[in-house]
Amino acid sequence: MIQISPKVQALGDQAQGELAEQFARIDTIARENTRRVLSAFQDCRVADGDFAGTTGYGYDDTGREKLETMYAQIFGTEAALVRQQFVNGTHAITCALFGALKAGDVLVSAVGAPYDTLMGVIGAVDKGHGSLKDYGIQYRQVELLDNEPDLDGLEQAVSDPKVKAVLIQRSRGYSTRSSLSVAEIGEMCRRIKSVNPNAAILVDNCYGEFVETQEPTHVGADLVVGSLIKNPGGGLAPTGGYIAGRRDLVEGAAMRLSAPGIGGECGSTLGQNRLLYQGLFLAPHTVAQAVKTAVFAARVMELLGYETQPASQEIRHDIIQMIHMRGPEALQKFCKGIQMGAPVDSYVTPEPWDMPGYDCKVIMAAGAFIQGASIELSADAPMREPYTVYLQGGLTYESGRLGVLLAVQELLGE
């Protein structure tokens, strides 16, 4: 039986008691997003036959096609590509970038360097053959200004007609800037289009889906990309990613995922459609559980004197909670406690390791039903200053709360 000390339990009770307004706001967002998702299910006349899978080439997979129509409706776009053949979010973003760019074009990253694993894709870091740089695509980035997007600098950077795509990363990644709100992304889109209407705006939407009642494609983005083992998979999707947006950009990404001339016509679903549908249906609720877990973790750690970003009373734009642990020992203890609260592999102790795609050792606490699914409770951090841990996920608030309290208990040595 999991045991929480009276001291830690009292701390948790105090934190939760101070979060009623935040929790009510989160529930309101979940209700609106559930209405939007359920409307798509009904408008597309989802039936039991849509859950049957295909094999081989996957031609005429009506369940797959209907699911993509639903994603397009939910994200307010012309088309969507929802495929388990995407191995992760980085793969989906890579396909989107290659679909939007060709030799001689310029890609601009709007908020500094993108997530670590994309640096090899771009070619800014040599991770082997096949980068955008290898195919003659140039890269520039607009640095942050006082840790905020530099809108004037962005306008200047994208005014070059050779700039054919602009990448906006909604979440913070392993940086310390704030995650971007949909409203902020909308203003960035407006500024970009005012000087370069032909540039395609691609948003890395990972960790942000259903946290607000609108998505970036509702406010001017041409394409959003994400992973199904994060928010939109609802904790049930076993693998995959999605791309939703302008039809030509979606088709270009499909050609990269498969091959020119094949695009999205092939891709068997192997009986997995039911999980993708059901995960999407649950996603607004599951995301709300993860956001509540993040808010709770922030408040508990604030009561212990730790600095958190966002603060517990701030409005959320993604599911990630950043906590500055001050040193490597505290960081490892916190991750050990999160692992102890997992339903899977709770008995193991996380250790820093050389994770592919990163420039330093990374520690990761993740005892998930789906390997690497960060909609499930997890915590990870690069083992470098300022020793900041990034907490995300929680399929249920109740289990997420327990995991956070176990992490605190381990940290305090209770």
Side-chain angles (χ1 to χ4, degrees):
M1 181 70 70
I2 293 174
Q3 299 292 332
I4 304 295
S5 72
K7 176 182 176 180
V8 173
Q9 188 64 59
L11 184 69
D13 292 343
Q14 179 184 348
Q16 184 169 321
E18 296 172 359
L19 296 171
E21 185 177 340
Q22 270 281 52
F23 280 16
R25 181 187 300 118
I26 294 164
D27 287 339
T28 298
I29 292 169
R31 285 193 294 270
E32 174 58 25
N33 284 331
T34 296
R35 184 193 64 81
R36 184 155 53 99
V37 169
L38 182 56
S39 295
F41 270 78
Q42 295 179 350
D43 292 345
C44 290
R45 299 172 67 87
V46 174
D48 188 69
D50 296 319
F51 305 146
T54 50
T55 58
Y57 298 136
Y59 287 134
D60 302 318
D61 192 321
T62 56
R64 183 193 68 207
E65 292 168 1
K66 190 175 288 188
L67 182 65
E68 291 177 340
T69 299
M70 289 168 55
Y71 264 76
Q73 178 174 328
I74 291 165
F75 286 90
T77 64
E78 295 176 348
L81 188 69
V82 184
R83 300 299 168 101
Q84 60 185 342
Q85 284 79 15
F86 288 120
V87 301
N88 54 26
T90 297
H91 183 199
I93 296 166
T94 299
C95 289
L97 291 172
F98 271 101
L101 294 158
K102 60 181 185 297
D105 290 344
V106 175
L107 167 67
V108 170
S109 176
V111 282
Y115 194 67
D116 297 43
T117 55
L118 281 173
M119 298 306 286
V121 173
I122 291 165
V125 176
D126 186 7
K127 294 293 183 179
H129 176 70
S131 69
L132 292 170
K133 183 179 179 181
D134 288 338
Y135 285 88
I137 296 165
Q138 300 176 50
Y139 171 72
R140 302 169 192 165
Q141 65 187 44
V142 180
E143 301 298 344
L144 300 172
L145 186 63
D146 297 325
N147 222 24
E148 298 288 337
D150 180 2
L151 296 183
D152 292 335
L154 178 60
E155 272 195 29
Q156 183 177 353
V158 303
S159 61
D160 181 349
K162 290 184 179 179
V163 174
K164 299 298 183 183
V166 181
L167 177 64
I168 300 174
Q169 183 174 294
R170 181 173 178 176
S171 190
R172 71 183 79 238
Y174 280 152
S175 73
T176 57
R177 68 166 175 85
S178 297
S179 298
L180 299 175
S181 69
V182 171
E184 287 175 308
I185 292 172
E187 177 59 16
M188 295 172 75
C189 292
R190 188 190 68 79
R191 298 280 289 263
I192 292 166
K193 293 295 187 181
S194 71
V195 295
N196 190 343
N198 296 319
I201 302 173
L202 286 66
V203 177
D204 172 358
N205 209 28
C206 289
Y207 305 103
E209 300 92 346
F210 302 120
V211 176
E212 300 185 50
T213 56
Q214 285 187 309
E215 300 294 336
T217 37
H218 291 123
V219 295
D222 295 303
L223 207 66
V224 286
V225 188
S227 166
L228 296 186
I229 63 170
K230 295 184 174 69
N231 300 20
L236 291 182
T239 189
Y242 78 92
I243 298 173
R246 219 172 67 196
R247 189 173 303 279
D248 62 313
L249 295 173
V250 172
E251 290 176 351
M255 298 295 183
R256 175 68 184 192
L257 174 63
S258 58
I262 295 177
E265 294 298 318
C266 288
S268 57
T269 50
L270 302 173
Q272 300 302 309
N273 279 346
R274 184 185 301 274
L275 291 175
L276 302 190
Y277 274 94
Q278 193 172 12
L280 176 61
F281 176 73
L282 291 175
H285 173 75
T286 305
V287 169
Q289 302 301 290
V291 177
K292 285 182 178 180
T293 299
V295 170
F296 175 77
R299 188 61 194 139
V300 168
M301 297 305 287
E302 288 165 0
L303 291 171
L304 289 174
Y306 287 87
E307 181 186 353
T308 65
Q309 288 179 272
S312 59
Q313 296 301 328
E314 288 185 53
I315 294 175
R316 301 286 162 141
H317 308 303
D318 67 7
I319 66 170
I320 296 178
Q321 179 60 53
M322 193 164 61
I323 305 167
H324 299 295
M325 300 306 301
R326 303 172 185 158
E329 184 179 355
L331 175 58
Q332 289 185 250
K333 285 183 176 180
F334 186 88
C335 288
K336 180 181 178 181
I338 292 294
Q339 188 73 39
M340 290 167 61
V344 181
D345 292 333
S346 61
Y347 53 88
V348 304
T349 299
E351 295 288 346
W353 66 297
D354 294 311
M355 194 171 178
Y358 299 86
D359 62 2
C360 69
K361 288 184 181 294
V362 174
I363 187 169
M364 179 171 288
F369 293 102
I370 305 298
Q371 187 184 91
S374 43
I375 190 59
E376 302 186 48
L377 184 65
S378 58
D380 51 279
M383 295 302 295
R384 63 189 181 210
E385 293 183 346
Y387 297 106
T388 296
V389 67
Y390 297 80
L391 176 83
Q392 59 270 317
L395 294 179
T396 68
Y397 167 65
E398 293 79 10
S399 63
R401 184 185 194 275
L402 272 175
V404 171
L405 293 183
L406 285 168
V408 169
Q409 193 160 262
E410 183 69 22
L411 190 62
L412 297 179
E414 286 286 306

